[in-house]
Amino acid sequence: MNRIKAAIYGVGAMNSIATRMLLDKDVEIVAAISRSKDKVGKDLGDLTGLGRQLGVIVTDDAKAALAESGADVAVIAVNSYMTDAVEQLRNCAEAGVNAVTLSEEALYPWNTSPELTAELDAIAKRTGATLTGTGHQDTYWVNIVAMMMGTAHRIDHVTGRASWNVDDYGPEVAGDQQVGKTVEQFNQWLSGAERPPTFGRNVLDALVADAGLTVKSITSTTRPDVAAEPMHSQALNLDVAAGDVIGFTDIDEIQTEEGVVFTFEMSGRVYGETDGDINDWEIKGEPDLVLSNGNVPTQITTCTQLVNRIPDVINADPGFVTMEKLPRLKYRAFGFHTYLEAGAE
Ligand SMILES: NC(=O)c1ccc[n+]([C@@H]2O[C@H](COP(=O)([O-])OP(=O)(O)OC[C@H]3O[C@@H](n4cnc5c(N)ncnc54)[C@H](OP(=O)(O)O)[C@@H]3O)[C@@H](O)[C@H]2O)c1
């Protein structure tokens, strides 16, 4: 069985970690795509801190790289929302290249961006590619919670609470989290037409869909998280004054036709010294259930899931296939190509 060939799409914080993990699992990196003059024309190994060159030169010509490199899969870590992510996903789908992406909305975009998702689904089905959004949410906010739901007889309420450190990621994320803005600028952004869907909404949509329930109503509220004292954002290399924004907290709630309520409070902000990641889920019903796995290092679990999903995505039927429809995520002890089903490679 041949090794899997991957294209790295976006050469930032997450794909620097993912590149090492892919090489460790015998994946051949055949292309790297980025945007800035600082990166285009350089060797991927130099840019990702591997300490050695890979002979893969970063290009900004995504279409040519996908068409000519023979990539089986693109590993996308570029942006968060479907209005932006559609460019990279369309390039992959049109080239017939499977894709895993970290774009948060792509986790379950059928309700928040139905037209774009249907368009990508149709192209991918035509060219034989599979497109999937994954990352930290895949297991920790959706599939592990869905498994716990499977151990209940009756569910009244599912409540989740999670937090992550903006500075574990690159500038794209810190910009999205409005780090460094004044509260007034934040409120303008929040009330503006360009406020994109919350990451929590897509998580809850996936949980509702996985349980075969129907959304009746949705509410989302967002509050800025504000620096109590001067802070520094490593991701943006920016000093944030006391009183300015270090991120925000979304609270999403979905009421279902069947009566089950889902609530998720998610905070992404620059951490102070005493902050740590949180991932707590609670089910009220018969019986009451609790799952708490705080201090999950979300930066690493983002990348492990991004890469460990690759065999599942290559094995899956073509189309836009959301992660709750894929098999349970498994530990990959061996080269990723050894997990491909006959006919999928
Ligand atoms: N689902 C999850 O669990 C999860 C977790 C972490 C991050 N994310 C998301 O993943 C994305 C990437 O995160 P990150 O921390 O790696 O961000 P980052 O360090 O800012 O990296 C983003 C990369 O994308 C490149 N890029 C931007 N636009 C491009 C385009 N049109 N074509 C090609 N490359 C382009 C940038 O290129 P240049 O540097 O060359 O300009 C940069 O290298 C963010 O949107 C973040 O929210 C999701």
Side-chain angles (χ1 to χ4, degrees):
M1 207 175 274
N2 293 329
R3 291 161 70 197
I4 293 173
K5 295 188 173 79
I8 297 294
Y9 206 150
V11 183
M14 292 303 97
N15 260 347
S16 294
I17 300 172
T19 295
R20 170 181 61 81
M21 291 176 172
L22 290 166
L23 293 169
D24 287 345
K25 298 294 162 83
D26 257 350
V27 174
E28 188 183 348
I29 298 186
V30 292
I33 303 154
S34 204
R35 178 186 53 177
S36 64
K37 288 196 180 65
D38 298 346
K39 293 180 183 169
V40 173
K42 303 236 169 83
D43 188 278
L44 179 66
D46 289 335
L47 291 172
T48 54
L50 279 180
R52 67 186 166 101
Q53 297 208 324
L54 294 176
V56 178
I57 302 301
V58 175
T59 175
D60 57 3
D61 189 345
K63 287 185 182 170
L66 292 166
E68 293 161 16
S69 64
D72 302 301
V73 64
V75 180
I76 309 176
V78 169
N79 47 33
S80 296
Y81 302 107
M82 287 300 284
T83 43
D84 304 315
V86 66
E87 175 192 324
Q88 294 81 46
L89 289 167
R90 196 187 279 126
N91 285 341
C92 293
E94 282 174 349
V97 175
N98 301 294
V100 285
T101 174
L102 285 184
S103 294
E104 286 87 344
E105 191 188 349
L107 187 81
Y108 194 91
W110 288 105
N111 297 344
T112 49
S113 292
E115 290 90 7
L116 291 181
T117 311
E119 179 205 326
L120 292 169
D121 184 55
I123 303 171
K125 281 183 170 140
R126 177 166 53 74
T127 62
T130 307
L131 312 174
T132 298
T134 175
H136 180 73
Q137 304 94 310
D138 183 330
T139 296
Y140 286 97
W141 297 353
V142 177
N143 282 310
I144 209 171
V145 182
M147 284 177 79
M148 182 165 74
M149 288 171 65
T151 71
H153 176 60
R154 189 195 76 252
I155 297 180
D156 302 324
H157 205 142
V158 179
T159 308
R161 211 173 129 248
S163 88
W164 46 274
N165 185 358
V166 164
D167 273 348
D168 280 345
Y169 308 98
E172 183 76 25
V173 184
D176 284 349
Q177 290 302 114
Q178 309 300 307
V179 173
K181 298 274 167 64
T182 63
V183 171
E184 193 187 354
Q185 288 168 328
F186 180 89
N187 287 333
Q188 270 169 11
W189 166 79
L190 194 59
S191 58
E194 69 276 18
R195 166 62 160 126
T198 62
F199 299 165
R201 158 89 194 268
N202 301 103
V203 166
L204 294 186
D205 276 341
L207 284 170
V208 169
D210 186 66
L213 303 176
T214 305
V215 175
K216 185 163 118 190
S217 63
I218 298 167
T219 55
S220 295
T221 54
T222 302
R223 61 166 191 264
D225 292 314
V226 167
E229 55 187 350
M231 293 179 81
H232 182 76
S233 167
Q234 216 176 289
L236 291 176
N237 192 18
L238 180 78
D239 290 323
V240 182
D244 282 351
V245 173
I246 50 169
F248 58 82
T249 300
D250 292 317
I251 302 173
D252 293 285
E253 184 160 290
I254 290 185
Q255 310 264 350
T256 60
E257 295 289 357
E258 296 77 10
V260 187
V261 180
F262 293 78
T263 310
F264 187 33
E265 177 174 331
M266 192 213 66
S267 171
R269 62 178 190 280
V270 179
Y271 279 1
E273 273 177 16
T274 54
D275 291 321
D277 288 359
I278 296 170
N279 189 36
D280 292 342
W281 290 85
E282 190 178 46
I283 289 175
K284 288 285 181 203
E286 183 189 347
D288 290 347
L289 297 162
V290 172
L291 184 75
S292 180
N293 49 5
N295 290 325
V296 177
T298 47
Q299 181 199 47
I300 299 298
T301 55
T302 292
C303 298
T304 51
Q305 293 177 82
L306 176 69
V307 300
N308 286 346
R309 268 303 181 200
I310 288 173
D312 295 331
V313 169
I314 297 178
N315 287 336
D317 288 339
F320 203 115
V321 181
T322 48
M323 47 69 243
E324 86 289 355
K325 297 202 169 50
L326 294 177
R328 179 169 59 80
L329 198 58
K330 298 221 174 99
Y331 172 55
R332 310 288 185 191
F334 310 109
F336 282 171
H337 57 286
T338 64
Y339 298 96
L340 296 185
E341 289 164 5
E345 73 272 27

